[in-house]
Amino acid sequence: MTENAQQQPPAPSTELPTQYAPADVEGPLYERWVERGYFEADAKSDKPPYTIVIPPPNVTGSLHLGHAFEHTLIDALTRRKRMQGFETLWQPGMDHAGIATQNVVERELGKEGKSRHDLGREAFVERVWQWKGESGGQISGQMRRLGDGVAWSRERFTMDEGLSQAVQTIFKRLYDDELIYRAERIINWCPRCLTAISDIEVEYQDDDGELVSIKYGDGDETVVVATTRAETMLGDTAVAVHPGDERYQHLVGKRIKLPLTDRSIPVVADEHVDPEFGTGAVKVTPAHDPNDFEIGRRHDLPAIAVMDEHAVITVHGPFQGLDRFEARSAIVAALRAEGRIVAEKRPYVHSVGHCSRCKTTIEPRLSMQWWVKVGPLAKAAGDAVREGKVKIHPQEMEKRYFDWVDNLHDWCISRQLWWGHRIPVWYGPNGEVVCVGPDEQPPGTEAEGWKQDTDVLDTWFSSGLWPFSTLGWPEQTESLAKFYPNSVLVTGYDILFFWVARMMMFGLYAMDGTPPFHTIALHGMVRDQFGKKMSKSFGNAVNPLDWMDKYGSDALRFTLARGANPGVDVPIGEDWVQGSRNFANKIWNATRFALMNGATVEGPLPDASEMSSTDRWILSRLNSVVAEVDALYEDYQFAKLSDALFHFAWDEVFDWYVELSKTTFQAGGAAAKVSRRVLGEVLDVTLRLLHPVVPFVTETLWTTLTGGESVVIAEWPEAVFVPGADAPGGFRDTAAEKEIESLQSVITEVRRFRADQGLQPGQRVPARLSLDGTALAPHEAAIRQLLRLQPEGEAFTATATLPVAGAEVALDLSGTIDVAAERKRLAKDLAAAEKEKAQANAKLGNEAFLAKAPDNVVDKIRGRLAKADEDIARIQAQLERLPQQ
């Protein structure tokens, strides 16, 4: 903690502005928290550690609602743990985002009429670092706006010197353990980004294409194959059929002519071919299809590449130089001219892979690349969860995790980029291959014929080291010893495979079998209020800064947390954020009222015998909520805990206890003094419970109420104990809870009746309260005040009587409503409801209608019937309560 944190806070003021203005509060408060070092983590501390890493956002990125959502959840967890006395580290940082960042800088160069090749590799990389320093990382400032309590002094970047050392170290170890190798395989190639991309960076979507059936060979030696990629036929080196398919037995082992070329290709028998699909024969292009590549290996077929890195045809004169899609049309036309097209289907909708970054159609391509042998690493990652070393929350997500790690293919880790961690392998003049560790020198110079591999590593390779590389690994630092493994990883289920599995594999490998975190808490995706994915193209994307500017950061945070059910997508709309802003205002106004009426935290709580049942009720309820919120935090149930706090604070504290206390405060005396202390206690605890989710408004109110330095470093609430009331788990008073529930029933029922009769909320009505012998007797003054009930007077006539909770409330409405007009209005409403019921019953009783109507239509009519029944019961009750004429 900084020296500033040791200074005594100024004397608290019990005055608050009449309105809460988030824009005036949030920025200065956050800077004060950072200056005082509240978010920093001390590796030398003897406090128990609690560690969470930020899923490192791309250096090219800016804060979107998904970030705001995830950061809110992590911030809530870390703020609570800090208040509970843990040495809490929320590790910040950013990812260098290889392809994305290189694309950004290349576009900037394009505006100058240049390409990266005009600059050369070193100058281009220097230009990217320059861009990173000037324009990258704007998300850091936006994180401050949101209130992220990260340890800024520990901020890391995946290409920092220390993290680069970690990357080189683990590459060398994996290479020496023969878990990294170089091989020619089929990879996913992006002709736009000009690099290999991994399977999980390919997005599949249904595209309109064409399916053409082509006749290979002539006469009796004819085979028909179907393809959606006619251009690849130029690289065919076989036709494959199933070994048991009798239709083609006479052709297996023979060679047939490949159309449009001067080559003949063999017919091979392979178990991979499905004889029931299509013609039962498939063309084999080992250099341009992963399945064909495997067939080629089994049958020792040559692999002929027919496209360059730009997906331009490189073979066969008439088509050479054409783009793949241009070549497709030209080749089909040429085949049609030769009478080789047997059938054509357009459009043919089929699943096509696209680069997740630039949306270009990817091209399977035979290429020499670097690979991680994931078998043993993936098994360890799966076993860690199976053996309970790591828990996945919610548990039902385990299946998705196992489906992935149990079926992982070797991971292509090389990328044909200039921005990123360059592969630490050198090639010598005589075919030597040397992997260089971080403390080793290259084996020779370029002048001596040595050259470093030109590729860089997949971004996920370096981010997979994030839980331990950020703590100083491979050095055995104090931070590594203190804060590894992480306590929990909070991340979206959408990167379970991209990032989580990588961290699991590398953490277990590098840290001697210790997994990188104890728990993986998965959340869903933020969607619009209708459940639709947010996208600029859909016109429903939201900049969270706009909502924070309009409603305050607390309002956005509370809305997001209140929608966060584990592993489930989160719908959000602006009106919900506005509702959360109203909640922040409610907290503000209620606390302001309490302070104006002398609420205090000074001194111990009064003895239970001095408290009213209302005081005992709210303290009993407070303890229930403390226990409930704690349990929900441990289960990562952010939506439920936020909802519990909302209803307790708004409904019970502000709408009931504060309102009931007004009568006590007005009366003054000892009872008012007791209630002022109880109200202070309740607000103190409630504000601390709310703080992790809505930090700004609670900080302002809590420091004003208590005079404490900051709620950020205040103690997390535990059970409240009341003198004179033995309770090992904290004060509880079920009798008081039942009594206040009865009081609430009376007030709620009478309010409902008043509303039904069209009375204005402030309209006073004469009433007789029969409370003798009930627990409600001490509350008569409060009941009359909250319900605007006058004393009955000499001319009182009971025109309506309401029996509620063992008591009776008689009202004189003779001077307040026109009974005849009210009966006429209700009779009209009753007739309409009965007509609606009759119509719904008629349709539901018509068997012919039920047989033809869709289920949703029938369900809608059943709903209308249920609503009509409710309306009839309600209106009849209102008629019965009206005075008799």
Side-chain angles (χ1 to χ4, degrees):
M1 191 172 291
T2 64
E3 182 179 344
N4 286 338
Q6 305 300 326
Q7 298 175 359
Q8 291 297 318
S13 168
T14 57
E15 294 185 3
L16 289 169
T18 55
Q19 291 184 327
Y20 177 49
D24 297 339
V25 170
E26 293 174 353
L29 268 187
Y30 188 85
E31 291 309 312
R32 189 182 314 158
W33 291 336
V34 172
E35 288 169 5
R36 292 180 175 180
Y38 293 156
F39 304 140
E40 297 302 324
D42 183 2
K44 299 180 185 294
S45 166
D46 57 2
K47 296 178 182 178
Y50 187 79
T51 315
I52 295 181
V53 295
I54 190 174
N58 288 353
V59 68
T60 58
S62 60
L63 192 73
H64 57 65
L65 270 180
H67 288 127
F69 172 57
E70 187 168 78
H71 290 200
T72 294
L73 305 187
I74 299 175
D75 197 39
L77 290 173
T78 52
R79 283 179 182 271
R80 172 175 174 262
K81 285 296 182 180
R82 189 177 294 112
M83 295 170 75
Q84 286 182 315
F86 286 77
E87 193 61 38
T88 302
L89 169 61
W90 183 8
Q91 174 67 53
M94 287 181 291
D95 191 281
H96 66 279
I99 296 177
T101 305
Q102 180 157 321
N103 284 346
V104 167
V105 178
E106 286 196 79
R107 282 197 296 270
E108 293 296 313
L109 284 174
K111 296 175 183 177
E112 303 171 13
K114 298 178 181 178
S115 74
R116 60 182 164 119
H117 299 286
D118 294 324
L119 272 66
R121 183 166 190 147
E122 289 187 12
F124 176 77
V125 170
E126 185 178 339
R127 179 70 176 261
V128 180
W129 277 109
Q130 179 184 342
W131 175 89
K132 189 258 181 187
E134 295 173 357
S135 307
Q138 61 175 311
I139 201 169
S140 296
Q142 295 165 343
M143 287 166 60
R144 292 171 181 265
R145 282 288 313 276
L146 191 64
D148 287 1
V150 300
W152 286 112
S153 69
R154 292 172 172 266
E155 186 174 11
R156 304 304 299 268
F157 181 54
T158 49
M159 285 186 64
D160 284 349
E161 182 178 349
L163 271 68
S164 295
Q165 182 183 21
V167 168
Q168 198 170 351
T169 298
I170 202 161
F171 187 100
K172 171 72 170 173
R173 291 187 187 179
L174 289 164
Y175 181 87
D176 290 345
D177 287 344
E178 298 183 350
L179 292 172
I180 283 183
Y181 63 94
R182 191 168 184 246
E184 193 174 43
R185 299 272 183 85
I186 292 287
I187 47 91
N188 303 301
W189 181 263
C190 176
R192 160 63 182 81
C193 298
L194 297 180
T195 181
I197 59 176
S198 65
D199 290 344
I200 53 180
E201 293 169 300
V202 177
E203 294 178 349
Y204 287 90
Q205 67 183 47
D206 287 341
D207 286 357
D208 286 344
E210 60 181 350
L211 180 68
V212 293
S213 298
I214 309 168
K215 182 174 65 174
Y216 284 20
D218 295 297
D220 293 337
E221 297 181 353
T222 297
V223 177
V224 175
V225 299
T227 181
T228 58
R229 301 167 67 221
E231 68 278 11
T232 63
M233 67 160 291
L234 300 176
D236 286 358
T237 56
V239 169
V241 298
H242 190 273
D245 194 335
E246 295 182 359
R247 293 172 295 177
Y248 302 112
Q249 290 298 313
H250 67 290
L251 289 178
V252 174
K254 293 185 177 180
R255 301 183 73 84
I256 60 176
K257 186 177 187 318
L258 178 65
L260 305 184
T261 73
D262 56 3
R263 292 191 292 117
S264 64
I265 57 177
V267 177
V268 299
D270 195 277
E271 294 281 350
H272 171 76
V273 180
D274 180 2
E276 303 297 323
F277 184 77
T279 64
V282 296
K283 59 191 287 297
V284 181
T285 320
H288 291 279
D289 184 274
N291 293 321
D292 294 2
F293 176 77
E294 296 300 327
I295 293 175
R297 291 178 66 178
R298 288 194 288 271
H299 298 276
D300 198 24
L301 299 173
I304 301 174
V306 300
M307 297 180 215
D308 66 11
E309 66 271 23
H310 297 281
V312 171
I313 301 298
T314 58
V315 299
H316 200 68
F319 311 109
Q320 194 168 357
L322 294 180
D323 168 83
R324 55 183 163 164
F325 300 121
E326 296 172 335
R328 181 177 301 173
S329 299
I331 287 170
V332 170
L335 289 167
R336 190 183 299 114
E338 289 192 3
R340 292 284 177 177
I341 300 296
V342 176
E344 298 180 66
K345 185 176 181 180
R346 294 189 187 89
Y348 178 73
V349 179
H350 62 131
S351 182
V352 178
H354 297 259
C355 173
S356 62
R357 290 176 175 82
C358 71
K359 311 309 177 186
T360 300
T361 300
I362 63 104
E363 190 64 42
R365 186 169 188 250
L366 186 62
S367 180
M368 183 68 76
Q369 301 285 345
W370 285 94
W371 304 80
V372 172
K373 186 184 296 182
V374 300
L377 302 174
K379 182 180 183 304
D383 290 345
V385 175
R386 288 189 174 93
E387 295 167 5
K389 294 179 182 177
V390 178
K391 296 185 184 303
I392 293 180
H393 190 279
Q395 191 174 0
E396 53 265 28
M397 287 284 181
E398 282 186 1
K399 183 179 184 304
R400 295 182 66 175
Y401 176 78
F402 292 136
D403 285 346
W404 180 255
V405 297
D406 293 348
N407 297 285
L408 268 179
H409 300 296
D410 284 0
W411 172 20
C412 177
I413 55 171
S414 45
R415 298 291 182 266
Q416 290 64 56
L417 303 171
W418 288 356
W419 172 246
H421 295 99
R422 195 164 174 181
I423 288 176
V425 172
W426 291 73
Y427 305 107
N430 299 312
E432 301 96 334
V433 179
V434 178
C435 181
V436 178
D439 300 320
E440 299 171 350
Q441 293 298 316
T445 65
E446 287 197 19
E448 297 169 336
W450 287 87
K451 291 185 177 180
Q452 186 177 359
D453 197 300
T454 57
D455 288 351
V456 300
L457 288 162
D458 178 10
T459 297
W460 298 104
F461 190 95
S462 51
S463 60
L465 314 180
W466 192 247
F468 51 93
S469 63
T470 52
L471 298 172
W473 187 91
E475 301 298 325
Q476 297 304 307
T477 64
E478 287 182 323
S479 290
L480 188 65
K482 177 74 173 181
F483 296 112
Y484 187 91
N486 291 185
S487 305
V488 61
L489 173 74
V490 178
T491 191
Y493 63 69
D494 58 315
I495 57 171
L496 182 61
F497 316 130
F498 285 86
W499 189 44
V500 180
R502 311 300 194 207
M503 287 189 289
M504 286 286 282
M505 291 191 295
F506 283 164
L508 289 159
Y509 172 79
M511 300 300 292
D512 300 321
T514 302
F517 19 73
H518 298 300
T519 301
I520 302 167
L522 298 171
H523 59 72
M525 312 297 292
V526 178
R527 297 183 177 272
D528 71 14
Q529 59 188 318
F530 305 109
K532 189 175 182 180
K533 180 180 178 180
M534 286 192 172
S535 165
K536 290 182 180 178
S537 60
F538 294 156
N540 62 351
V542 173
N543 182 346
L545 294 175
D546 292 341
W547 281 353
M548 286 192 278
D549 288 342
K550 195 170 183 180
Y551 303 110
S553 298
D554 284 332
L556 177 64
R557 289 171 60 114
F558 193 72
T559 304
L560 291 166
R562 213 173 166 195
N565 290 297
V568 178
D569 289 346
V570 183
I572 184 172
E574 184 170 1
D575 54 336
W576 302 344
V577 185
Q578 185 175 354
S580 295
R581 188 271 313 273
N582 295 343
F583 178 52
N585 289 342
K586 185 80 169 181
I587 301 170
W588 182 273
N589 292 333
T591 305
R592 184 169 177 271
F593 165 84
L595 290 168
M596 291 172 62
N597 283 274
T600 180
V601 297
E602 294 181 6
L605 281 171
D607 193 276
S609 62
E610 300 175 33
M611 293 182 183
S612 67
S613 56
T614 309
D615 296 329
R616 297 195 305 275
W617 160 73
I618 198 62
L619 291 173
S620 184
R621 287 292 305 128
L622 178 65
N623 275 336
S624 295
V625 170
V626 169
E628 181 182 6
V629 168
D630 272 331
L632 291 170
Y633 260 117
E634 295 304 317
D635 199 34
Y636 305 101
Q637 297 281 356
F638 297 99
K640 290 182 179 178
L641 72 88
S642 299
D643 211 46
L645 286 170
F646 173 86
H647 286 294
F648 175 71
W650 191 309
D651 299 345
E652 299 187 77
V653 179
F654 306 148
D655 276 359
W656 284 107
Y657 184 71
V658 168
E659 290 300 316
L660 290 169
S661 298
K662 288 179 179 178
T663 307
T664 307
F665 293 154
Q666 289 171 1
K673 183 178 180 181
V674 169
S675 290
R676 290 188 186 103
R677 179 64 187 87
V678 170
L679 179 55
E681 184 76 14
V682 171
L683 287 174
D684 170 17
V685 174
T686 302
L687 291 170
R688 282 185 283 149
L689 288 173
L690 283 165
H691 173 72
V693 182
V694 284
F696 294 107
V697 67
T698 51
E699 169 80 340
T700 305
L701 296 175
W702 187 86
T703 52
T704 303
L705 172 71
T706 68
E709 180 183 340
S710 172
V711 71
V712 176
I713 55 172
E715 290 185 6
W716 180 252
E718 296 182 350
V720 174
F721 292 87
V722 174
D726 295 331
F731 178 74
R732 293 301 298 270
D733 191 331
T734 55
E737 289 190 33
K738 289 181 179 178
E739 180 177 324
I740 301 305
E741 285 174 11
S742 297
L743 176 60
Q744 290 170 331
S745 296
V746 170
I747 293 172
T748 301
E749 186 63 27
V750 176
R751 279 177 174 166
R752 183 182 297 117
F753 176 75
R754 287 176 57 111
D756 288 343
Q757 307 310 315
L759 297 177
Q760 295 300 314
Q763 191 171 352
R764 304 194 70 83
V765 178
R768 178 191 299 141
L769 304 185
S770 301
L771 308 176
D772 292 344
T774 73
L776 298 174
H779 301 285
E780 179 167 353
I783 292 172
R784 286 191 177 276
Q785 178 169 317
L786 292 174
L787 292 174
R788 304 295 189 269
L789 301 180
Q790 297 177 180
E792 52 195 89
E794 294 182 3
F796 178 82
T797 301
T799 57
T801 302
L802 304 176
V804 188
E808 189 175 88
V809 179
L811 304 174
D812 184 354
L813 304 178
S814 56
T816 57
I817 62 173
D818 184 336
V819 175
E822 186 65 11
R823 281 190 176 277
K824 186 176 181 180
R825 182 185 70 80
L826 290 174
K828 184 178 179 181
D829 291 347
L830 181 60
E834 288 174 338
K835 181 179 179 181
E836 175 74 1
K837 178 178 179 178
Q839 290 174 342
N841 272 327
K843 287 188 176 182
L844 294 174
N846 185 334
E847 293 184 6
F849 170 78
L850 293 177
K852 296 179 181 179
D855 289 344
N856 65 316
V857 173
V858 175
D859 288 342
K860 186 175 182 180
I861 294 171
R862 288 188 178 128
R864 286 167 48 193
L865 177 61
K867 175 68 166 52
D869 282 334
E870 291 176 7
D871 289 345
I872 290 169
R874 175 179 55 81
I875 296 167
Q876 287 176 338
Q878 289 177 242
L879 284 166
E880 290 174 4
R881 289 171 177 168
L882 279 176
Q884 298 300 315
Q885 292 176 302

